[in-house]
Amino acid sequence: MNVFITGAAGGLGRALANECGSRGYNMFLTDINEAGLFRIKQGLERQFNVTVTTKACDLTNPHSVDKMLAVLDTHGIRFDMVLNVAGCDFEGGFLERDREKLVKIVLLNNAATLRITHALLKRRRQGRPFSIVFVSSLASMFPMPLKATYAASKRFLLEFATALRQELRKDDVNVLTLCPAGMVTTEETLCGIKAQGFWGNVTTAPLEDVARRTIDCALAGKGVYTPGLMSRLLSFLGKFVPRSFVAAVVYRRWHHAQRKWMRADIIRS
Amino acid sequence: MKTVVITGATSGIGLETVRLLTEEGFHVLGIGRSAMNCKRAKEHISSHNPNARIVFFQADLMQQRDVLRVAEDIMAYLDEKSGGQLHALINNAGCVRSWYMTTEEGYEQQFALNHLAGFLLTHKLLPALQKARGRVIMTGSASHKGIKIRWDDVMLRRRYNPLTAYKQSKLCNILFAKGLNDRFAHSGIRAYVVDPGLVKTDIGNKETGSLVNLIWSLRKRAGVPPEIPAKTYAFLCRQEPAPEGLYYRHCKEKKYSGQVTRENADRLFALSERLCGLCDDTARQERTKAV
């Protein structure tokens, strides 16, 4: 099995790469962080008997993506699975954020993901099933004031993946959307989850479980995977509550959590 | 003046051991995770003992690139200041993680810091330790008893549990010490594990989730102050000739787990060498020799 992973030097990307390594899959990893890519490649090769190839790439830059694709074509590397992990968010309300950073959320989470998915579908291994995984978020299920751009970008992925899944079914392609709530990937995310209090704790899913089940779900042909019972319950209930009411509740929760988080950030720094 | 390197030197057991060792006249090189903590610790030690010979190095030992960098800096320092000799290395830095989190290499963080960091640092400082017929001391725990190494999933990727990960990392410490003795006792190096007992430190309050934080806050109330275990580290650094035991508590040799066998120690040694890239180094050196 040959797997292509974007955002492979970050927390979820690394966990998915570890999971693929433990299953003996060969991997092509990309991330904007070249040093991080080198280290995860080292770690994977030392742990598992797998072939890992890396190429640093800014997925929001078409030239950078073309260069990376040229590497794949030069070596004739073809794939059975693509894990679209690369994504970003920046804390703070819409008007408090830098304009270019807001645009970057859409450029990376959406435009770059489409670019990679399209390119990799053209580079699938012939005669074998192909899996695409999009990393969306529980945030895609609700309107999310104070995380409006991020949540909308994740909603885009969910809608797009659902439609693409139907479109590509005849070509033996499975499309899975992962919709996790919080996951502890870094010390910063741990602080963020703590700042959310009870709801942060009950919706947080173990990273290693999410990684394992994501690959299981992709191989089993599932369409959407929302980790955690509480997250599944929230996404189910969300369908019956007026969206304007959800927005008001979410605003109160995030307003409080972000202030607490930023305060903790100031104390830490 | 004998030189001692100690990791996790800016708080808890490490800081108290630094204070005691400097009072006993050792030249101490402390390693701390943040520059600010190193500065604070140095001020703390100097306020107790203005003549203390103490130098701090900043490194995040969870990341192997930082272990390699600080090892190089320390070797250069030792060459310049102490004739390239290191009397003792105390691998004390440790952590508890409520959640499965990984380092840049994708290694589980408790395993990476509590075991691999000490393993790699010891190997990089080995020439200086051999020169001084030095000692390597690990901070262990009685919790290493009653657990086995999960060889098929050593980083607990399939069923992570913070306590299991901690206990296993402490068993790794004692297996590493045994492995060192088996390999290097003939060249004068001795390795030990100190069981500090239950100590009032913040190990379970740093970057942990609410539950672990709460449990540790309650549990540590029954602990002893760090001055108590610090005496055992000082004892093992000071004693001549070097004591021959492996596992110490309150300056006395104690019994350890039946899992501490030569077979397990060798297996862990081989695994750790691979995870730290020391096999790559050996292969590279052999290739260079062949050329």
Side-chain angles (χ1 to χ4, degrees):
Chain A
M1 176 89 90
N2 289 347
V3 183
F4 183 98
I5 308 178
T6 69
L12 179 61
R14 282 199 306 247
L16 284 164
N18 262 336
E19 182 58 35
C20 291
S22 74
R23 293 173 189 237
Y25 300 168
N26 297 320
M27 284 168 269
F28 188 99
L29 311 178
T30 184
D31 197 289
I32 199 164
N33 174 2
E34 191 168 8
L37 271 183
F38 174 71
R39 294 203 176 91
I40 185 63
K41 173 185 159 72
Q42 270 191 336
L44 291 167
E45 287 177 341
R46 288 171 185 173
Q47 286 185 84
F48 314 107
N49 188 22
V50 293
T51 303
V52 182
T53 311
T54 61
K55 174 78 181 154
C57 178
D58 175 1
L59 298 178
T60 61
N61 180 340
H63 301 298
S64 185
V65 173
D66 285 345
K67 275 187 191 168
M68 180 184 64
L69 295 175
V71 173
L72 300 182
D73 294 339
T74 305
H75 296 93
I77 308 173
R78 293 297 177 258
F79 297 92
D80 307 287
M81 185 182 282
V82 54
L83 307 177
N84 286 300
V85 183
C88 67
D89 188 22
F90 303 98
E91 283 307 314
F94 186 70
L95 285 176
E96 292 148 25
R97 297 191 205 194
D98 180 84
R99 192 181 307 131
E100 289 312 309
K101 282 187 170 178
L102 282 169
V103 173
K104 193 179 172 185
I105 294 174
V106 178
L107 282 179
L108 181 58
N109 296 7
N110 301 141
T113 303
L114 293 196
R115 190 177 285 134
I116 289 297
T117 305
H118 191 271
L120 268 288
L121 273 165
K122 301 272 181 192
R123 288 165 179 80
R124 65 181 284 196
R125 213 145 45 151
Q126 291 305 314
R128 299 177 64 147
F130 188 76
S131 297
I132 306 171
V133 175
F134 292 103
V135 178
S136 180
S137 164
L138 188 64
S140 67
M141 316 268 183
F142 314 102
M144 297 280 288
L146 299 173
K147 282 176 112 42
T149 317
Y150 174 78
S153 75
K154 294 297 181 181
R155 180 76 181 187
F156 172 91
L157 288 180
L158 179 62
E159 295 289 341
F160 171 71
T162 310
L164 191 68
R165 177 179 164 79
Q166 190 59 42
E167 195 177 319
L168 298 178
R169 197 185 288 264
K170 64 179 185 336
D171 300 316
D172 204 8
V173 175
N174 181 61
V175 181
L176 171 75
T177 316
L178 168 65
C179 297
M183 282 182 295
V184 180
T185 51
T186 60
E187 287 163 24
E188 287 72 32
T189 55
L190 179 61
C191 289
I193 286 161
K194 276 186 180 173
Q196 290 178 56
F198 172 78
W199 289 108
N201 282 323
V202 295
T203 55
T204 299
L207 185 62
E208 73 284 12
D209 262 13
V210 173
R212 187 176 60 252
R213 285 169 200 235
T214 298
I215 305 295
D216 285 345
C217 287
L219 295 177
K222 300 261 170 65
V224 177
Y225 167 44
T226 306
L229 194 64
M230 187 56 81
S231 297
R232 282 199 285 278
L233 185 67
L234 284 174
S235 67
F236 178 74
L237 292 176
K239 291 172 186 163
F240 303 101
V241 182
R243 291 176 70 78
S244 55
F245 177 74
V246 173
V249 171
V250 170
Y251 177 78
R252 278 192 58 178
R253 186 184 150 209
W254 274 104
H255 183 62
H256 177 68
Q258 283 194 346
R259 271 177 42 194
K260 211 168 148 187
W261 189 357
M262 302 252 178
R263 252 199 326 268
D265 217 30
I266 291 164
I267 291 166
R268 275 201 310 280
S269 61
Chain B
M1 188 181 274
K2 287 175 175 172
T3 306
V4 177
V5 170
I6 176 165
T7 68
T10 59
S11 65
I13 297 169
L15 181 61
E16 200 48 46
T17 304
V18 171
R19 193 186 64 74
L20 203 54
L21 290 174
T22 50
E23 274 177 11
E24 294 197 10
F26 287 98
H27 178 192
V28 178
L29 313 184
I31 302 177
R33 189 176 165 199
S34 83
M36 190 188 283
N37 289 349
C38 289
K39 186 169 170 274
R40 274 191 206 139
K42 188 165 186 185
E43 285 166 3
H44 174 79
I45 299 294
S46 302
S47 69
H48 279 83
N49 176 10
N51 300 321
R53 281 202 69 190
I54 168 83
V55 179
F56 273 96
F57 292 80
Q58 182 270 325
D60 178 1
L61 298 177
M62 198 157 322
Q63 312 301 345
Q64 293 195 348
R65 65 185 155 89
D66 257 26
V67 177
L68 296 174
R69 176 187 57 76
V70 81
E72 212 168 281
D73 291 350
I74 288 174
M75 284 300 282
Y77 185 94
L78 292 173
D79 281 341
E80 194 189 323
K81 305 276 183 182
S82 68
Q85 294 194 18
L86 177 60
H87 175 69
L89 165 63
I90 303 176
N91 288 311
N92 167 66
C95 69
V96 175
R97 289 286 180 265
S98 303
W99 302 87
Y100 174 89
M101 292 167 78
T102 61
T103 65
E104 291 172 335
E105 292 81 13
Y107 301 158
E108 191 278 317
Q109 291 193 353
Q110 286 201 68
F111 183 74
L113 180 63
N114 299 4
H115 168 59
L116 287 181
F119 184 88
L120 183 55
L121 186 63
T122 304
H123 275 79
K124 292 297 167 186
L125 299 183
L126 213 48
L129 285 162
Q130 280 174 318
K131 224 171 180 179
R133 298 174 73 80
R135 298 151 198 209
V136 182
I137 305 169
M138 260 65 79
T139 296
S141 160
S143 69
H144 82 274
K145 295 171 187 171
I147 195 159
K148 292 179 181 176
I149 302 282
R150 298 199 178 166
W151 295 111
D152 61 334
D153 184 22
V154 80
M155 302 202 206
L156 306 181
R157 212 168 9 84
R158 283 198 288 277
R159 263 195 307 275
Y160 184 77
N161 175 295
L163 196 56
T164 308
Y166 182 77
K167 288 175 173 182
Q168 185 182 256
S169 72
K170 293 292 132 184
L171 178 56
C172 288
N173 291 150
I174 191 161
L175 285 171
F176 174 42
K178 175 161 175 55
L180 274 177
N181 286 335
D182 291 344
R183 284 162 182 74
F184 299 104
H186 69 274
S187 59
I189 290 181
R190 290 296 314 185
Y192 311 99
V193 174
V194 171
D195 169 10
L198 182 61
V199 188
K200 276 181 194 158
T201 68
D202 292 332
I203 188 168
N205 304 120
K206 292 177 188 167
E207 285 130 35
T208 49
S210 311
L211 186 63
V212 172
N213 202 324
L214 175 71
I215 292 170
W216 181 247
S217 296
L218 295 172
R219 187 163 152 68
K220 74 178 180 184
R221 287 183 190 174
V224 297
E227 291 91 318
I228 306 292
K231 288 176 188 166
T232 309
Y233 295 88
F235 164 80
L236 291 171
C237 287
R238 177 201 323 126
Q239 209 64 10
E240 291 295 350
E244 297 215 329
L246 178 65
Y247 186 68
Y248 285 82
R249 183 172 180 176
H250 297 320
C251 306
K252 288 195 180 105
E253 211 182 328
K254 295 283 173 188
K255 280 188 180 166
Y256 45 84
S257 163
Q259 286 298 307
V260 183
T261 61
R262 181 156 199 160
E263 188 195 349
N264 282 340
D266 287 350
R267 199 169 172 185
L268 181 68
F269 222 89
L271 174 69
S272 309
E273 277 184 331
R274 204 174 76 225
L275 293 175
C276 291
L278 296 171
C279 306
D280 310 349
D281 289 355
T282 313
R284 204 174 302 123
Q285 279 164 11
E286 277 170 9
R287 272 201 303 275
T288 313
K289 269 183 203 165
V291 170

mmCIF file of all heavy atoms in Angstrom, chain A residues 2 4 7 21 30-31 39 72 77 87-88 133 144 152 165 169 171 177 179 182 209 224 229 251 255:
data_model
loop_
_atom_site.group_PDB
_atom_site.id
_atom_site.type_symbol
_atom_site.label_atom_id
_atom_site.label_comp_id
_atom_site.label_asym_id
_atom_site.label_seq_id
_atom_site.Cartn_x
_atom_site.Cartn_y
_atom_site.Cartn_z
ATOM 1 N N ASN A 2 0.646 2.161 -0.914
ATOM 2 C CA ASN A 2 1.384 3.428 -0.954
ATOM 3 C C ASN A 2 0.448 4.560 -0.514
ATOM 4 O O ASN A 2 -0.623 4.730 -1.090
ATOM 5 C CB ASN A 2 1.885 3.724 -2.373
ATOM 6 C CG ASN A 2 3.006 2.792 -2.782
ATOM 7 O OD1 ASN A 2 3.577 2.093 -1.944
ATOM 8 N ND2 ASN A 2 3.319 2.761 -4.067
ATOM 9 N N PHE A 4 -0.090 8.716 0.553
ATOM 10 C CA PHE A 4 0.395 10.094 0.450
ATOM 11 C C PHE A 4 -0.229 10.885 1.609
ATOM 12 O O PHE A 4 -1.444 10.871 1.795
ATOM 13 C CB PHE A 4 -0.064 10.670 -0.900
ATOM 14 C CG PHE A 4 0.426 12.060 -1.183
ATOM 15 C CD1 PHE A 4 1.544 12.266 -1.988
ATOM 16 C CD2 PHE A 4 -0.232 13.177 -0.670
ATOM 17 C CE1 PHE A 4 1.996 13.546 -2.267
ATOM 18 C CE2 PHE A 4 0.221 14.455 -0.932
ATOM 19 C CZ PHE A 4 1.333 14.644 -1.744
ATOM 20 N N GLY A 7 0.665 17.521 5.557
ATOM 21 C CA GLY A 7 0.709 17.959 6.959
ATOM 22 C C GLY A 7 1.304 16.878 7.847
ATOM 23 O O GLY A 7 0.926 16.728 9.018
ATOM 24 N N GLY A 21 2.725 3.297 9.188
ATOM 25 C CA GLY A 21 4.002 2.593 9.340
ATOM 26 C C GLY A 21 3.813 1.266 10.045
ATOM 27 O O GLY A 21 4.375 0.241 9.638
ATOM 28 N N THR A 30 4.497 14.985 2.948
ATOM 29 C CA THR A 30 4.806 16.381 2.635
ATOM 30 C C THR A 30 4.323 17.279 3.760
ATOM 31 O O THR A 30 3.392 16.947 4.501
ATOM 32 C CB THR A 30 4.214 16.798 1.266
ATOM 33 O OG1 THR A 30 4.639 18.130 0.994
ATOM 34 C CG2 THR A 30 2.699 16.764 1.267
ATOM 35 N N ASP A 31 4.987 18.423 3.876
ATOM 36 C CA ASP A 31 4.652 19.412 4.895
ATOM 37 C C ASP A 31 5.466 20.655 4.541
ATOM 38 O O ASP A 31 6.474 20.562 3.832
ATOM 39 C CB ASP A 31 5.074 18.895 6.286
ATOM 40 C CG ASP A 31 4.407 19.649 7.424
ATOM 41 O OD1 ASP A 31 4.763 20.830 7.658
ATOM 42 O OD2 ASP A 31 3.520 19.068 8.072
ATOM 43 N N ARG A 39 12.654 14.613 10.356
ATOM 44 C CA ARG A 39 12.658 13.897 11.646
ATOM 45 C C ARG A 39 11.592 12.802 11.696
ATOM 46 O O ARG A 39 11.835 11.728 12.210
ATOM 47 C CB ARG A 39 12.455 14.884 12.795
ATOM 48 C CG ARG A 39 13.631 15.788 12.853
ATOM 49 C CD ARG A 39 13.909 16.451 14.150
ATOM 50 N NE ARG A 39 15.141 17.187 13.950
ATOM 51 C CZ ARG A 39 15.199 18.448 13.540
ATOM 52 N NH1 ARG A 39 14.111 19.125 13.334
ATOM 53 N NH2 ARG A 39 16.367 19.024 13.331
ATOM 54 N N LEU A 72 7.179 12.940 -7.918
ATOM 55 C CA LEU A 72 6.381 11.707 -8.003
ATOM 56 C C LEU A 72 6.465 11.112 -9.411
ATOM 57 O O LEU A 72 6.633 9.905 -9.580
ATOM 58 C CB LEU A 72 4.908 11.998 -7.686
ATOM 59 C CG LEU A 72 4.555 12.573 -6.320
ATOM 60 C CD1 LEU A 72 3.039 12.724 -6.202
ATOM 61 C CD2 LEU A 72 5.060 11.658 -5.216
ATOM 62 N N ILE A 77 6.019 7.224 -8.882
ATOM 63 C CA ILE A 77 5.356 6.774 -7.645
ATOM 64 C C ILE A 77 3.843 6.915 -7.819
ATOM 65 O O ILE A 77 3.352 7.981 -8.196
ATOM 66 C CB ILE A 77 5.825 7.595 -6.421
ATOM 67 C CG1 ILE A 77 7.356 7.620 -6.342
ATOM 68 C CG2 ILE A 77 5.237 7.011 -5.126
ATOM 69 C CD1 ILE A 77 7.912 8.544 -5.269
ATOM 70 N N GLY A 87 -3.799 21.677 7.278
ATOM 71 C CA GLY A 87 -4.856 22.656 7.507
ATOM 72 C C GLY A 87 -4.377 23.649 8.539
ATOM 73 O O GLY A 87 -3.338 23.438 9.189
ATOM 74 N N CYS A 88 -5.096 24.745 8.691
ATOM 75 C CA CYS A 88 -4.667 25.726 9.694
ATOM 76 C C CYS A 88 -5.864 26.505 10.243
ATOM 77 O O CYS A 88 -6.953 26.480 9.672
ATOM 78 C CB CYS A 88 -3.646 26.697 9.110
ATOM 79 S SG CYS A 88 -4.310 27.776 7.840
ATOM 80 N N VAL A 133 -8.975 10.582 2.222
ATOM 81 C CA VAL A 133 -9.455 11.016 3.536
ATOM 82 C C VAL A 133 -9.324 12.530 3.626
ATOM 83 O O VAL A 133 -8.253 13.092 3.362
ATOM 84 C CB VAL A 133 -8.649 10.348 4.680
ATOM 85 C CG1 VAL A 133 -9.091 10.900 6.036
ATOM 86 C CG2 VAL A 133 -8.820 8.828 4.644
ATOM 87 N N MET A 144 -20.035 28.489 13.679
ATOM 88 C CA MET A 144 -19.099 28.685 14.786
ATOM 89 C C MET A 144 -18.620 30.125 14.865
ATOM 90 O O MET A 144 -17.557 30.459 14.324
ATOM 91 C CB MET A 144 -17.877 27.771 14.599
ATOM 92 C CG MET A 144 -18.162 26.297 14.619
ATOM 93 S SD MET A 144 -18.338 25.637 16.281
ATOM 94 C CE MET A 144 -16.676 25.668 16.864
ATOM 95 N N ALA A 152 -16.370 27.232 8.465
ATOM 96 C CA ALA A 152 -16.929 27.225 7.102
ATOM 97 C C ALA A 152 -16.019 26.452 6.158
ATOM 98 O O ALA A 152 -16.498 25.728 5.272
ATOM 99 C CB ALA A 152 -17.118 28.657 6.617
ATOM 100 N N ARG A 165 -17.731 11.572 -3.046
ATOM 101 C CA ARG A 165 -17.866 10.143 -2.713
ATOM 102 C C ARG A 165 -18.853 9.461 -3.682
ATOM 103 O O ARG A 165 -18.584 8.392 -4.196
ATOM 104 C CB ARG A 165 -18.355 10.030 -1.262
ATOM 105 C CG ARG A 165 -18.628 8.649 -0.766
ATOM 106 C CD ARG A 165 -19.074 8.738 0.698
ATOM 107 N NE ARG A 165 -19.707 7.521 1.125
ATOM 108 C CZ ARG A 165 -19.058 6.420 1.475
ATOM 109 N NH1 ARG A 165 -17.751 6.405 1.443
ATOM 110 N NH2 ARG A 165 -19.707 5.342 1.840
ATOM 111 N N ARG A 169 -17.733 6.778 -6.772
ATOM 112 C CA ARG A 169 -18.046 5.418 -6.328
ATOM 113 C C ARG A 169 -17.823 4.401 -7.455
ATOM 114 O O ARG A 169 -17.263 3.335 -7.259
ATOM 115 C CB ARG A 169 -19.501 5.377 -5.850
ATOM 116 C CG ARG A 169 -19.840 4.178 -4.990
ATOM 117 C CD ARG A 169 -21.320 4.175 -4.674
ATOM 118 N NE ARG A 169 -21.690 5.201 -3.723
ATOM 119 C CZ ARG A 169 -21.822 4.995 -2.408
ATOM 120 N NH1 ARG A 169 -21.602 3.807 -1.911
ATOM 121 N NH2 ARG A 169 -22.182 5.970 -1.601
ATOM 122 N N ASP A 171 -15.748 4.452 -9.735
ATOM 123 C CA ASP A 171 -14.317 4.267 -10.062
ATOM 124 C C ASP A 171 -13.561 3.541 -8.950
ATOM 125 O O ASP A 171 -12.328 3.593 -8.912
ATOM 126 C CB ASP A 171 -13.657 5.639 -10.299
ATOM 127 C CG ASP A 171 -14.306 6.374 -11.444
ATOM 128 O OD1 ASP A 171 -14.563 5.726 -12.475
ATOM 129 O OD2 ASP A 171 -14.584 7.585 -11.302
ATOM 130 N N THR A 177 -14.669 11.323 5.341
ATOM 131 C CA THR A 177 -14.448 12.612 6.004
ATOM 132 C C THR A 177 -14.308 12.368 7.494
ATOM 133 O O THR A 177 -15.186 11.776 8.123
ATOM 134 C CB THR A 177 -15.637 13.571 5.773
ATOM 135 O OG1 THR A 177 -16.008 13.504 4.405
ATOM 136 C CG2 THR A 177 -15.266 14.996 6.131
ATOM 137 N N CYS A 179 -14.263 13.886 11.143
ATOM 138 C CA CYS A 179 -14.802 15.081 11.814
ATOM 139 C C CYS A 179 -14.498 15.048 13.311
ATOM 140 O O CYS A 179 -15.411 14.847 14.137
ATOM 141 C CB CYS A 179 -16.314 15.177 11.597
ATOM 142 S SG CYS A 179 -16.776 15.373 9.882
ATOM 143 N N GLY A 182 -11.769 18.099 19.669
ATOM 144 C CA GLY A 182 -10.394 18.369 20.079
ATOM 145 C C GLY A 182 -9.550 17.112 20.104
ATOM 146 O O GLY A 182 -10.048 16.019 20.362
ATOM 147 N N ASP A 209 -6.133 6.646 18.862
ATOM 148 C CA ASP A 209 -7.380 5.956 18.502
ATOM 149 C C ASP A 209 -7.930 6.507 17.198
ATOM 150 O O ASP A 209 -8.363 5.762 16.322
ATOM 151 C CB ASP A 209 -8.443 6.231 19.582
ATOM 152 C CG ASP A 209 -8.539 5.102 20.567
ATOM 153 O OD1 ASP A 209 -7.640 4.252 20.554
ATOM 154 O OD2 ASP A 209 -9.507 5.099 21.350
ATOM 155 N N VAL A 224 -18.284 8.947 6.708
ATOM 156 C CA VAL A 224 -17.970 9.985 7.701
ATOM 157 C C VAL A 224 -17.554 9.284 8.995
ATOM 158 O O VAL A 224 -18.189 8.306 9.405
ATOM 159 C CB VAL A 224 -19.196 10.896 7.996
ATOM 160 C CG1 VAL A 224 -18.867 11.921 9.078
ATOM 161 C CG2 VAL A 224 -19.637 11.621 6.728
ATOM 162 N N LEU A 229 -18.211 9.355 21.436
ATOM 163 C CA LEU A 229 -19.653 9.249 21.596
ATOM 164 C C LEU A 229 -20.293 10.626 21.762
ATOM 165 O O LEU A 229 -21.314 10.947 21.154
ATOM 166 C CB LEU A 229 -19.945 8.376 22.833
ATOM 167 C CG LEU A 229 -21.354 7.873 22.985
ATOM 168 C CD1 LEU A 229 -21.709 6.937 21.824
ATOM 169 C CD2 LEU A 229 -21.534 7.145 24.314
ATOM 170 N N TYR A 251 -21.219 30.899 20.468
ATOM 171 C CA TYR A 251 -20.539 32.179 20.684
ATOM 172 C C TYR A 251 -20.193 32.361 22.172
ATOM 173 O O TYR A 251 -19.074 32.725 22.519
ATOM 174 C CB TYR A 251 -21.411 33.351 20.208
ATOM 175 C CG TYR A 251 -20.757 34.687 20.498
ATOM 176 C CD1 TYR A 251 -19.730 35.164 19.695
ATOM 177 C CD2 TYR A 251 -21.143 35.457 21.606
ATOM 178 C CE1 TYR A 251 -19.095 36.369 19.975
ATOM 179 C CE2 TYR A 251 -20.521 36.654 21.897
ATOM 180 C CZ TYR A 251 -19.501 37.106 21.079
ATOM 181 O OH TYR A 251 -18.858 38.290 21.361
ATOM 182 N N HIS A 255 -16.378 32.504 23.333
ATOM 183 C CA HIS A 255 -15.955 33.809 23.846
ATOM 184 C C HIS A 255 -15.245 33.613 25.180
ATOM 185 O O HIS A 255 -14.145 34.131 25.415
ATOM 186 C CB HIS A 255 -17.190 34.701 24.013
ATOM 187 C CG HIS A 255 -16.872 36.085 24.469
ATOM 188 N ND1 HIS A 255 -16.092 36.930 23.703
ATOM 189 C CD2 HIS A 255 -17.198 36.756 25.597
ATOM 190 C CE1 HIS A 255 -15.958 38.080 24.348
ATOM 191 N NE2 HIS A 255 -16.600 38.007 25.504
#
